[in-house]
Amino acid sequence: MTELSAHLAFRRPGFDLRLRLALPGAGITALLGPSGGGKSTLLRLLAGLERPRAGHIRHRQRLWYARAAGIDLAPRRRDLGFMFQDHALFPHLSVAENIGYGLARAPDRAARVTRWIERVGLGGLAQRRPGQLSGGQRQRVALARALAPAPALLLLDEPFSALDASLRQSLRLLLQELIAETATCALLVSHDLEDARQCADRVGVMIGGRLRRLDEAEAVFAAPGDAEVARVLGWPNTLAVTRWEGRAACGPWGRVELARAPRREDSVVALLPDGPRPGARAGLAVEIARVIDMGPYRALSCRLPDRTALRIHLPRALPCPARGERTLLDVPPGCAIALPAGTAKTIQSTRY
C-alpha cells in the first residue's frame, strides 16, 4: 500500500527539481546522490519547509500540498518526525523533556517517555541535558523524540554522519529495529553507501534534481541502470567505450569481451571488481599501483594504458602481483557490463 505519494516541481537559481515519488506503508527508503542533487531539498518540500511551484503531496487520502487546490498544510500539521545530523535538541530541556516534547498531554505521557528512554538505551539519563551527553546519546534522544508521537513519515537527513564508525553501526541497527517495531515509513538521506546497504529496504538515487533509480535495495545495487547511477552506488570501474566490435568494448584503455551484445544506448562498460584475475596470457594490460590488504581479499589499484584507474579484488588464496608490476588482466565476460552513460528517465521497478 502506498503511504505517501508526491509529484513535485521546484526551482531556484541554478537548480531545477522534478520528480514523482511513492513510498510504501512501512520500512526505510534511502536516498543517495551527489551533493546538490536535491536530496535535502526533497525532504524540505515534503516537510513543508519549502514550497513547490507545482504538484502535490498526498499521505494516504489526505493532501498535504496541492497547488491547484490551494492546499498547503503547515509543517506541524503534516504528522512528520524529523531527525537531523546535528540532533536539533532543545539544550535547556532534559532527555525526558526532549523526548516528550511532541507528545500530547495524557495520563500515560510520562510512562510513554520512560519506555522510549529505556528502549533507546538511555536508562538513568532521563534528567540530563543534551550538553551532558555524548554524540551517540544525543542522536538516540533525537531518534526517540522523532518516533515517540508515531509520525506518518519519518524524515532523516544525514543522521549518522557526525558519528564515528562504531557508533554509526549501532545506531543503524537501532534505527532498523525501531522502524520495524513501529511499522513507520521512513525516508533517509545519506552520502554513506553503508547507511543504504545496512538500513534500507529500498534505495533511490537522485542526480540533478531527478530521481534516476528507485527500487528494492538489492535490485538497485545489482543493476544501477546507467553509469552515473553506478558511480553513485560505488561501482569503481566505469570505462568510456569509443567503439564496439560485436560483443567487445574498445577504448584507449584496452578491449574486453561482454557476455551479451550492447544496446544502442550503451556507451560505457562497467567492470565488476571481484572477477578479474592478474597473470593471464591475454587480457587488459595493467600496472599495479597499490596493494591494500582488506582481510579476506586484497584490493589492487591498477593503471590501464591510458592511465585510467582500475580496482580489482583478489582473494587472499591467489598469488598477488607486487606494486609496480605490469601484468595482463583476465576479465570474464560476465564481469563486463554495458551501460548507457546517463539518462534523465527514472528507472523504477517496484510499485506500491
Side-chain angles (χ1 to χ4, degrees), residues 78-320:
R78 296 193 182 197
D79 194 14
L80 292 165
F82 224 128
M83 185 175 172
F84 301 91
Q85 173 184 343
D86 60 357
H87 328 297
L89 299 177
F90 299 111
H92 61 290
L93 299 183
S94 68
V95 167
E97 289 167 333
N98 266 285
I99 292 174
Y101 184 82
L103 293 177
R105 298 195 177 277
D108 67 340
R109 185 171 183 267
R112 291 172 65 187
V113 170
T114 299
R115 284 196 298 272
W116 275 106
I117 290 173
E118 295 296 331
R119 181 62 189 86
V120 298
L122 297 175
L125 304 180
Q127 299 309 313
R128 292 197 185 181
R129 303 287 176 87
Q132 299 173 300
L133 303 175
S134 69
Q137 289 170 336
R138 287 194 291 270
Q139 281 299 62
R140 288 171 182 265
V141 176
L143 181 56
R145 182 183 66 178
L147 284 171
L153 175 65
L154 176 62
L155 302 176
L156 304 111
D157 195 1
E158 300 279 0
F160 310 135
S161 60
L163 304 175
D164 62 37
S166 62
L167 285 176
R168 283 200 301 270
Q169 183 66 16
S170 64
L171 280 169
R172 286 177 187 133
L173 179 59
L174 179 63
L175 175 65
Q176 283 181 288
E177 292 173 348
L178 293 178
I179 293 300
E181 290 171 15
T182 58
T184 299
C185 174
L187 186 60
L188 165 68
V189 161
S190 181
H191 285 92
D192 190 338
L193 287 175
E194 289 307 304
D195 286 347
R197 289 185 187 277
Q198 297 185 33
C199 292
D201 304 290
R202 290 156 298 280
V203 170
V205 177
M206 286 193 69
I207 301 174
R210 306 294 187 269
L211 185 60
R212 295 274 291 274
R213 186 79 167 91
L214 178 63
D215 204 344
E216 302 296 324
E218 184 177 353
V220 171
F221 280 106
D226 67 55
E228 279 188 302
V229 173
R231 284 188 282 269
V232 169
L233 295 173
W235 286 39
N237 309 313
T238 53
L239 307 173
V241 177
T242 55
R243 71 182 187 280
W244 295 100
E245 296 178 356
R247 293 192 302 182
C250 305
W253 41 265
R255 183 181 189 275
V256 293
E257 292 281 342
L258 278 66
R260 64 163 180 83
R263 300 161 297 186
R264 183 185 300 274
E265 65 268 24
D266 291 336
S267 59
V268 172
V269 63
L271 302 186
L272 302 181
D274 292 323
R277 296 290 180 261
R281 293 185 177 181
L284 281 179
V286 297
E287 178 183 352
I288 308 301
R290 190 179 181 191
V291 179
I292 307 170
D293 191 337
M294 303 297 290
Y297 68 92
R298 294 182 178 91
L300 307 185
S301 296
C302 310
R303 292 288 180 188
L304 292 163
D306 66 345
R307 308 305 294 168
T308 297
L310 188 74
R311 181 185 174 99
I312 65 169
H313 298 162
L314 189 65
R316 176 171 290 278
L318 297 181
C320 182

Side-chain angles (χ1 to χ4, degrees), residues 45-62:
L45 290 168
L46 294 175
L49 303 176
E50 299 270 12
R51 179 176 294 177
R53 63 182 179 87
H56 74 266
I57 303 169
R58 181 188 300 275
H59 173 248
R60 297 182 181 171
Q61 300 306 310
R62 186 184 183 213

